[in-house]
Amino acid sequence: MTDSIRLGLFVFMGVVLALVYWYIVSRLGVRDKARATLATVLVIGIAMGYYFSAVKPLVGMLPKGLDLEGGVHVVLEAVPTPENPVTDAAMIGAMEIIERRVNALGVTEPYIQRSGSRIIIEIPGVKDPHAAIEVIGKTALLEFADEEGNLILTGKDLKKADVATRSNNSEPVVLLEFNADGTKKFADATAKNVGKRIIIMLDKQVISAPVVREAIPSGQAEIQGYETVQAAYHLSILLNSGALPVNLQIMENRSVSATLGRDSIEQSRTAAIVGIVAVAVYMLLYYRLPGLIAGLALAAYLFIAVGVLALLRATLTLPGIAGLVLSVGMAVDANVIIFERCKEEIRSGQTLRSAIVAGFRNALRAIVDSNVTTLIAAAVLFWLGSGPIRGFAVTLSVGILSSMFTAIVLTRFLLMAFVNSGLYRGKKMFFGY
């Protein structure tokens, strides 16, 4: 059974159960409906908690960054030479080549970024860091071959590649110009391969395969068939990079142990569990039943936040885990504001139900304002930061939005269900009054 079929059956059964639940509950009174709702939420919560923590852990679905997965961190510096000046086109070509090489390593979630004349590369999950660095740092190999695979010429025979548009129909084309040796080799090859394809390869990967229409003895060729100037420009960059690779020197080369990453995950997991348990115990002792509900909402918050990160395919890094653990405290902060407002309403003589409604209403603005300011700071971090800093900003933002949902929606829903269920009538179980 494929994953798609499993997901379809899961959704179908969920819809059927929801309809059956709605049919049964709609015929119950307020108290029985609230009790049925609490029982259903409890069963679903336990089932989902068990599935996403023991059967298919949500954390395992997240791609892990370099600091957790282990791997290679390399910084390359483009050094200008009289033959190969450092230009935007040369840097773009170098980025293209490096991306192709990193992808050829078969790794997931690589991070490649240009910073001026430097290229920063992070490759998580690499088994052999030395081999990866060797592949990244080697000189680009541009080759021209016939359909039988016989080598015709290499990048050193290509003088330059450029983009132009034809005057009669504005079709973008790539212009090739060979040096003296390349002109002779290309003339011989095109004479022998009229009507056949010339295979152009960069690092043994085919990047173009134009058909030879006639022999070309001039050393200047034209590749047609591009729908856009961008497509032609892309090929010219690859050709120029192969013929004139920018001189890249390794400025920093650092390997991160996977063992260190596993230790970081275990320590972070312990910190998260200890933090959640400590906060839940404090809330339970101070606010009684609402504190217990806040603890349940806190557990739900954690699953929601990690689930959203998994859906976004966000890369989990150590700063990202720090952002998630930090947002645990912020998640319960909203509950504290709400519960204090509820206590004020009870002290003023309101009934329990009215106090809860008024407490959530009065606390809403303060919660939204405080979280929006933090979201603005996270947005600035994401905008100006890079790598792990962006990961921290993403997990912090997801954590804040998830905590607002669990504090404002889920906690209120469960509190009102408890009040309506009549399971606890005394105010002492609510906020100690």
Side-chain angles (χ1 to χ4, degrees):
M1 186 182 293
T2 64
D3 290 341
S4 300
I5 295 176
R6 287 196 191 96
L7 181 62
L9 288 174
F10 181 79
V11 172
F12 175 75
M13 292 184 66
V15 171
V16 170
L17 289 174
L19 290 174
V20 171
Y21 172 78
W22 173 81
Y23 177 79
I24 296 173
V25 169
S26 63
R27 281 156 176 75
L28 299 176
V30 174
R31 179 175 300 180
D32 292 334
K33 185 186 293 185
R35 293 181 178 182
T37 300
L38 286 175
T40 304
V41 171
L42 185 63
V43 170
I44 292 176
I46 292 174
M48 293 186 68
Y50 174 74
Y51 182 80
F52 287 118
S53 61
V55 179
K56 193 167 186 177
L58 279 174
V59 175
M61 299 181 191
L62 291 171
K64 297 176 181 58
L66 185 67
D67 49 359
L68 298 179
E69 188 79 5
V72 179
H73 172 91
V74 182
V75 178
L76 301 175
E77 173 85 34
V79 179
T81 62
E83 298 81 15
N84 302 307
V86 178
T87 62
D88 278 345
M91 290 301 296
I92 292 172
M95 288 281 292
E96 291 272 357
I97 292 172
I98 288 174
E99 286 180 2
R100 293 165 68 92
R101 291 175 177 176
V102 170
N103 291 333
L105 293 173
V107 297
T108 58
E109 307 298 335
Y111 171 77
I112 305 171
Q113 187 181 47
R114 177 186 169 187
S115 176
S117 61
R118 291 190 172 189
I119 299 175
I120 303 168
I121 308 160
E122 292 185 351
I123 313 174
V126 173
K127 306 294 183 187
D128 188 348
H130 298 291
I133 294 169
E134 186 177 341
V135 170
I136 293 170
K138 71 180 181 182
T139 303
L141 179 61
L142 179 67
E143 295 174 311
F144 290 62
D146 60 20
E147 289 184 348
E148 286 72 36
N150 298 315
L151 184 65
I152 297 172
L153 51 83
T154 65
K156 68 179 182 180
D157 300 310
L158 180 65
K159 192 173 181 179
K160 68 176 182 179
D162 208 347
V163 179
T165 55
R166 305 189 75 182
S167 57
N168 55 343
N169 57 7
S170 300
E171 177 189 358
V173 296
V174 176
L175 303 177
L176 305 180
E177 182 177 349
F178 297 95
N179 58 24
D181 289 341
T183 298
K184 184 176 182 307
K185 294 175 183 176
F186 198 67
D188 294 341
T190 51
K192 294 176 183 175
N193 291 279
V194 174
K196 299 182 179 179
R197 293 185 182 275
I198 295 291
I199 313 299
I200 305 176
M201 297 175 288
L202 188 64
D203 290 340
K204 301 297 182 184
Q205 295 184 23
V206 177
I207 58 174
S208 185
V211 176
V212 179
R213 300 185 184 278
E214 59 186 9
I216 304 175
S218 63
Q220 294 182 340
E222 179 182 290
I223 304 177
Q224 305 171 6
Y226 297 97
E227 294 183 355
T228 63
V229 174
Q230 287 76 16
Y233 179 66
H234 178 79
L235 178 62
S236 70
I237 287 175
L238 293 177
L239 291 170
N240 283 322
S241 300
L244 300 171
V246 63
N247 187 15
L248 295 173
Q249 292 185 0
I250 297 177
M251 303 302 293
E252 184 180 350
N253 171 16
R254 178 160 49 90
S255 297
V256 179
S257 168
T259 304
L260 180 61
R262 284 195 294 271
D263 291 343
S264 299
I265 291 177
E266 289 301 321
Q267 292 171 357
S268 302
R269 182 181 300 168
T270 303
I273 292 174
V274 170
I276 290 175
V277 170
V279 169
V281 169
Y282 173 82
M283 294 294 288
L284 176 62
L285 294 176
Y286 198 78
Y287 293 107
R288 313 287 175 84
L289 183 59
L292 174 64
I293 293 175
L296 295 175
L298 201 60
Y301 147 78
L302 204 57
F303 280 105
I304 291 172
V306 177
V308 171
L309 290 174
L311 286 175
L312 295 175
R313 296 294 298 165
T315 301
L316 188 64
T317 62
L318 203 54
I321 293 177
L324 209 55
V325 174
L326 173 64
S327 58
V328 168
M330 299 180 66
V332 83
D333 184 55
N335 288 120
V336 171
I337 296 174
I338 293 169
F339 294 164
E340 289 301 322
R341 295 286 188 275
C342 292
K343 290 170 71 174
E344 290 175 0
E345 297 297 330
I346 290 175
R347 280 196 291 266
S348 67
Q350 296 270 15
T351 64
L352 185 58
R353 184 179 286 104
S354 299
I356 292 173
V357 172
F360 273 88
R361 184 180 61 243
N362 296 334
L364 181 61
R365 181 165 183 175
I367 295 171
V368 172
D369 288 348
S370 64
N371 283 289
V372 165
T373 54
T374 310
L375 281 173
I376 292 173
V380 173
L381 281 177
F382 184 84
W383 179 37
L384 297 177
S386 62
I389 302 300
R390 281 192 165 191
F392 175 79
V394 170
T395 54
L396 184 61
S397 302
V398 170
I400 291 170
L401 294 174
S402 302
S403 70
M404 288 180 67
F405 171 76
T406 55
I408 297 172
V409 178
L410 184 60
T411 304
R412 173 174 177 159
F413 173 78
L414 292 176
L415 261 180
M416 292 306 296
F418 262 105
V419 172
N420 291 332
S421 69
L423 293 174
Y424 298 98
R425 294 178 182 274
K427 289 185 179 179
K428 282 196 172 181
M429 285 302 296
F430 291 86
F431 313 113
Y433 289 95

